[in-house]
Amino acid sequence: MSEHPDCALIRRGYEAFGKGDLETLGTLMTADVIHHVPGNNVLSGHHKGREAVLDLYRRLGEETNGTYRVRLENVMVDGRGHAISVHVAQGDRGDRGIEIHEGLFFTIVGGKITDIDQCTQDIDESDAFWA
């Protein structure tokens, strides 16, 4: 049984993110993509446009001195242009560390990511880490 194309797209994105290959990652998104980050911290908000989203991903590395990593656990699709991924995010920032489950809800149009809604296992823990 072959993998659904939307699953394959999300897996390619995670692979590129893990390698720090933002050029490839950018090709998987529309120019007007939006990544919504929950909480009340330095990364929270609506990052609008491919460059703004890629800047968010650069900041994850900068803010953690390159220690930020995600380990993909699962990708699920509905066959109608939506995918959900679950991963564990890890990193160190100053004297704090984090290891937390997160989920991303993707909207996919024409084989490209148009919208990413981020959810976290514990908003308070996430806010304290990124404060």
Side-chain angles (χ1 to χ4, degrees):
M1 193 161 124
S2 64
E3 183 173 51
H4 190 278
D6 292 345
C7 278
L9 173 71
I10 301 309
R11 288 186 193 283
R12 281 195 312 275
Y14 271 87
E15 182 180 334
F17 181 89
K19 293 178 180 177
D21 183 357
L22 297 183
E23 183 176 334
T24 295
L25 194 53
T27 68
L28 306 178
M29 303 173 192
T30 60
D32 61 350
V33 65
I34 302 173
H35 187 136
H36 310 274
V37 179
N40 186 21
N41 61 67
V42 298
L43 301 177
S44 297
H46 308 286
H47 303 268
K48 299 177 183 181
R50 184 184 298 125
E51 287 310 310
V53 171
L54 294 176
D55 284 344
L56 167 66
Y57 300 158
R58 282 184 196 95
R59 273 195 78 189
L60 292 170
E62 291 167 2
E63 295 281 338
T64 62
N65 291 321
T67 65
Y68 189 81
R69 301 279 182 266
V70 295
R71 184 180 72 248
L72 181 62
E73 292 188 343
N74 204 353
V75 179
M76 297 161 278
V77 298
D78 69 357
R80 297 177 290 122
H82 300 107
I84 296 174
S85 66
V86 177
H87 63 256
V88 175
Q90 296 175 285
D92 296 307
R93 189 165 183 257
D95 62 352
R96 290 190 84 99
I98 196 167
E99 182 171 338
I100 193 167
H101 275 91
E102 295 180 332
L104 299 175
F105 179 82
F106 298 90
T107 302
I108 301 164
V109 176
K112 296 210 181 235
I113 299 164
T114 64
D115 197 81
I116 307 164
D117 276 303
Q118 183 174 324
C119 296
T120 184
Q121 179 181 25
D122 186 330
I123 288 179
D124 292 335
E125 181 180 354
S126 184
D127 280 346
F129 180 76
W130 294 110

